[in-house]
Amino acid sequence: MSEPLHIEAEHAALVGQLRAAGTEYRGGDQNDSYTGSGHPFFCVSVPNLRRIARGWLAAHRQASDAELLALADRLFAGRHY
């Protein structure tokens, strides 16, 4: 059996990768994409989002469905978009 996924640490690592992949936003006053949520966002291109997601999934093939859902919930509920 594999070691349990540390959701908080994985969340922080993914946010770090997103922050590093982000570019300067040049879209005017709105800075939270389509949602209008007011959350800060990293302005990461779709190809980079996919690269980050594929890399993370490849490195965590042993994660359970419950762990994957817990991480997704944490990402969606997090401070950043």
Side-chain angles (χ1 to χ4, degrees), residues 45-66:
S45 69
V46 171
N48 279 335
L49 286 173
R50 290 178 180 155
R51 178 187 51 77
I52 291 167
R54 279 193 302 265
W56 189 91
L57 287 169
H60 298 87
R61 292 191 187 280
Q62 300 303 317
S64 70
D65 291 346

Side-chain angles (χ1 to χ4, degrees), residues 5 7-8 10-11 14 56-57 63-78 80:
L5 195 64
I7 302 299
E8 186 174 330
E10 294 298 332
H11 176 256
L14 283 169
W56 189 91
L57 287 169
S64 70
D65 291 346
E67 290 171 325
L68 293 175
L69 289 172
L71 180 60
D73 284 345
R74 185 173 175 108
L75 287 166
F76 280 116
H80 296 92

